[in-house]
Amino acid sequence: MSTETTTSTGIHDPANGVTRRTGSSNIQTSAKEVTTSPPQAGLENGAAATVVETTETTAEQLRRAFRRKYRHVEALHSESRPSCLSHDTTETPSFLGFRNLMVIVLVVGNLRLVIENIQKYGVLICIGCHDFRKNDLQVGLGLYFLIPCHLLLAYLIELVAAAQARSQRLRAEKRDGTTSPTEDQLKKFQSTWKMIWVAHALNVTIALAFTTYVVYYHVHHPLIGTLAEVHAIIVWLKTASYAFTNRDLRHAYLHPVKGELDALPEIYKQCPYPNNITFSNLCYFWWAPTLVYQPVYPRSDKIRWVFVFKRVGEVICLSVFIWFCSAQYATPVLQNSLDKIASLDYFSIIERLLKLSTISLVIWLAGFFALFQSFLNALAEVTRFGDRSFYDAWWNSEGLGMYWRTWNKPVYHFFRRHVYSPMRARGWSHKTASFCVFTASAILHELLVGVPTHNLIGVAFLGMFLQLPLIQLTLPLEKRKSPSGKLLGNTIFWVSFTIFGQPFAALMYFYAWQAKYGSVSKNMASSLPPPVCPAH
């Protein structure tokens, strides 16, 4: 193998009429000699790799020198390539620029609508114009402190059950844990559980029924009523989880089959039953950002107060933003829709829905971020709650089923753990268990929306209940692996949710509220531009 080293080579460039120097250390190697010459004795793999690399480097240098000399002969079309957006392209292009464009278009378009709205109606933001009655504030504050008392009653019920379980275990004969409970032991446990279950059911039912009655008949403003109803529903769900979880832990404590206690989650060993039945344990569960009870949760090492202040600031800013959008933009659109609904002008109603869909989506997205990202993360940081997976990437949902599994994971985990899974374990089919889950969820949605607005018209119930056929419709699209199927499923999800879902429900409940009481705002009693607030 022979090489020739040239210190300087002159190359004439016909494009510029000058002579260029290619460098002081160009190495010219005979490729034929490299490939045909037998390897020298003792030549190692590293040396061979160095020779190949040197050959490639030299060839690349020669190609670059050639391109610099002959500028007009470069082969721009040297291989077959599809267009970037064609279906037969081998690489999926990034649409980051289009996403940024869509954000800009949405911001500019909605900003224009807001400016047009202000020019037409004037500034509608006015705290003193809203009908916040003194009685509503007093009743709402009273309910806030009264509702958690039912959690205390649940703790007392479980405290009695834990004491009874301790005494029963002390009196029981020694068992080696290799057999299941006897028939008498099982009957005794079931009879005890029935009494505990009745006590818990009466407790949580009275709590929710009392709150619903007070909000429906004695709280006028829907915002205060919604906060009270949400609190009551959360306590209802937490109490149910507290009772069901301790029931299973109590059974494993009294009648452990061999290996069952070892099969419990590893984290539960930090606080085994009945050591978890304490007031402090229940208080932590009350404030923890979860609806599913566990004796122990993963905890963070410390509280990052800067993180907490940032999240609280986000909640405040987003709440003000939601209030501004609702009062300044959504309310006039809803107000101007009343005569269209009364006259059953369907084309005008559809136009109102389309106009309302944009601001409804903006308000909903802001509310989602304020609740699930900002508020729950701030609460988790204060309580040092470690598992902060409150949602997944629901915006990429390929169907309605995936959406309901990913957007509100605390509620999803509750129904899956305490309703769906037990029914499946008892032999019920998937469709029957899903039917029961969505029926219970539909009832809670109607209570959450219909009670504070004093109109149980069933729109929220039907909106939730009709998710079942939509889930079945988009289920085949979720299973398809092709991008077109996923795109179609995601499109159906967004259209059904943002155009025909929330805007229609908001329009119906607003119409029912106006027909019954008039507007919450004292100055929005008609569709005409409101007068200037006296506070101004």
Side-chain angles (χ1 to χ4, degrees):
M1 179 176 63
S2 62
T3 59
E4 179 182 352
T5 304
T6 305
T7 58
S8 180
T9 304
I11 298 179
H12 179 72
D13 189 345
N16 299 323
V18 298
T19 300
R20 298 179 179 273
R21 297 292 179 180
T22 60
S24 60
S25 60
N26 288 340
I27 301 175
Q28 299 178 358
T29 305
S30 174
K32 183 177 180 181
E33 289 183 299
V34 171
T35 55
T36 58
S37 299
Q40 300 292 332
L43 182 63
E44 298 180 354
N45 293 335
T50 304
V51 172
V52 173
E53 182 179 357
T54 303
T55 305
E56 294 177 352
T57 303
T58 304
E60 181 63 26
Q61 289 176 347
L62 291 175
R63 282 193 294 269
R64 291 179 180 177
F66 183 84
R67 286 195 297 268
R68 285 196 298 267
K69 180 178 179 180
Y70 301 103
R71 302 294 180 88
H72 303 288
V73 298
E74 181 179 359
L76 296 178
H77 308 288
S78 58
E79 58 180 340
S80 299
R81 293 175 296 181
S83 299
C84 183
L85 297 179
S86 298
H87 292 289
D88 53 350
T89 183
T90 56
E91 298 182 359
T92 303
S94 173
F95 294 96
L96 179 62
F98 279 114
R99 187 199 65 180
N100 295 336
L101 175 62
M102 291 301 102
V103 171
I104 294 174
V105 170
L106 286 174
V107 171
V108 173
N110 284 282
L111 183 61
R112 181 193 65 81
L113 293 176
V114 170
I115 294 175
E116 178 183 335
N117 175 270
I118 293 177
Q119 291 176 341
K120 183 176 181 180
Y121 298 103
V123 178
L124 304 179
I125 305 299
C126 176
I127 298 179
C129 297
H130 281 263
D131 195 4
F132 287 105
R133 303 178 182 180
K134 184 178 180 180
N135 179 69
D136 291 349
L137 297 175
Q138 292 175 345
V139 174
L141 192 62
L143 288 175
Y144 177 79
F145 290 103
L146 181 62
I147 291 172
C149 293
H150 294 274
L151 270 177
L152 178 60
L153 291 177
Y155 161 69
L156 296 178
I157 295 172
E158 288 298 326
L159 191 63
V160 173
Q164 190 267 347
R166 282 193 181 96
S167 61
Q168 182 178 346
R169 183 167 178 175
L170 290 175
R171 294 193 306 267
E173 298 180 357
K174 298 294 182 179
R175 299 174 61 242
D176 57 3
T178 58
T179 59
S180 299
T182 62
E183 186 175 351
D184 293 338
Q185 291 172 335
L186 184 60
K187 288 182 178 180
K188 185 175 182 180
F189 181 85
Q190 291 294 341
S191 62
T192 304
W193 163 242
K194 287 181 181 179
M195 292 187 293
I196 298 173
W197 180 88
V198 169
H200 279 301
L202 289 176
N203 177 36
V204 295
T205 302
I206 290 174
L208 186 57
F210 178 77
T211 302
T212 300
Y213 173 83
V214 172
V215 169
Y216 193 84
Y217 289 103
H218 299 284
V219 178
H220 174 71
H221 202 281
L223 177 60
I224 299 176
T226 299
L227 294 177
E229 196 71 14
V230 168
H231 193 191
I233 291 176
I234 289 175
V235 169
W236 189 88
L237 296 175
K238 281 179 176 278
T239 304
S241 181
Y242 188 68
F244 284 128
T245 304
N246 281 312
R247 171 198 177 272
D248 287 355
L249 293 175
R250 184 164 50 251
H251 187 277
Y253 171 75
L254 289 174
H255 311 293
V257 178
K258 186 176 182 180
E260 279 188 348
L261 295 180
D262 295 333
L264 284 173
E266 187 70 23
I267 193 174
Y268 286 14
K269 296 180 181 179
Q270 301 176 21
C271 186
Y273 186 89
N275 296 339
N276 63 304
I277 308 299
T278 61
F279 183 71
S280 60
N281 184 276
L282 178 67
C283 287
Y284 181 83
F285 174 54
W286 176 31
W287 285 102
T290 180
L291 299 175
V292 173
Y293 174 73
Q294 293 181 190
V296 186
Y297 296 96
R299 305 286 294 274
S300 57
D301 297 331
K302 60 180 181 179
I303 300 176
R304 299 171 295 175
W305 290 108
V306 175
F307 179 88
V308 174
F309 294 145
K310 288 181 179 179
R311 301 291 81 77
V312 172
E314 291 173 355
V315 172
I316 295 174
C317 293
L318 288 172
S319 299
V320 173
F321 173 76
I322 292 172
W323 175 46
F324 171 79
C325 292
S326 301
Q328 185 65 44
Y329 186 76
T331 300
V333 175
L334 291 168
Q335 190 74 38
N336 293 334
S337 305
L338 298 178
D339 57 336
K340 308 296 189 299
I341 299 176
S343 60
L344 295 180
D345 187 352
Y346 296 109
F347 287 102
S348 297
I349 293 175
I350 294 175
E351 186 271 336
R352 292 288 94 184
L353 284 176
L354 294 176
K355 189 173 184 179
L356 185 63
S357 62
T358 302
I359 193 64
S360 174
L361 178 61
V362 171
I363 292 174
W364 184 82
L365 290 176
F368 163 79
F369 195 93
L371 175 60
F372 290 96
Q373 175 62 26
S374 301
F375 177 75
L376 290 184
N377 267 287
L379 186 60
E381 189 68 27
V382 172
T383 58
R384 294 171 49 215
F385 189 82
D387 186 5
R388 303 180 185 184
S389 179
F390 305 120
Y391 59 91
D392 287 333
W394 55 266
W395 46 88
N396 294 328
S397 298
E398 299 157 7
L400 272 298
M402 181 178 293
Y403 166 73
W404 290 113
R405 293 191 299 268
T406 54
W407 97 274
N408 188 348
K409 293 181 71 174
V411 173
Y412 167 74
H413 287 155
F414 175 88
F415 280 103
R416 182 173 183 83
R417 186 190 194 195
H418 299 300
V419 180
Y420 180 84
S421 294
M423 291 187 67
R424 294 286 287 154
R426 287 173 172 80
W428 295 92
S429 65
H430 164 72
K431 292 184 178 179
T432 303
S434 299
F435 177 84
C436 293
V437 167
F438 276 91
T439 301
S441 181
I443 294 174
L444 294 179
H445 275 77
E446 184 64 29
L447 291 178
L448 186 59
V449 181
V451 171
T453 58
H454 308 275
N455 288 285
L456 295 173
I457 57 179
V459 174
F461 178 87
L462 289 177
M464 192 67 193
F465 193 76
L466 293 178
Q467 296 298 311
L468 286 172
L470 289 176
I471 290 175
Q472 295 300 319
L473 177 65
T474 57
L475 184 60
L477 299 176
E478 292 184 29
K479 297 180 179 180
R480 293 179 61 179
K481 297 182 180 180
S482 62
S484 58
K486 296 180 180 180
L487 177 62
L488 180 59
N490 187 255
T491 303
I492 294 175
F493 151 67
W494 278 114
V495 170
S496 63
F497 185 77
T498 60
I499 297 180
F500 301 105
Q502 292 188 16
F504 180 76
L507 193 62
M508 291 297 99
Y509 281 100
F510 186 84
Y511 177 77
W513 172 272
Q514 290 283 345
K516 193 171 185 179
Y517 293 105
S519 178
V520 175
S521 176
K522 301 174 183 177
N523 290 330
M524 287 296 295
S526 66
S527 60
L528 298 176
V532 179
C533 176
H536 292 174

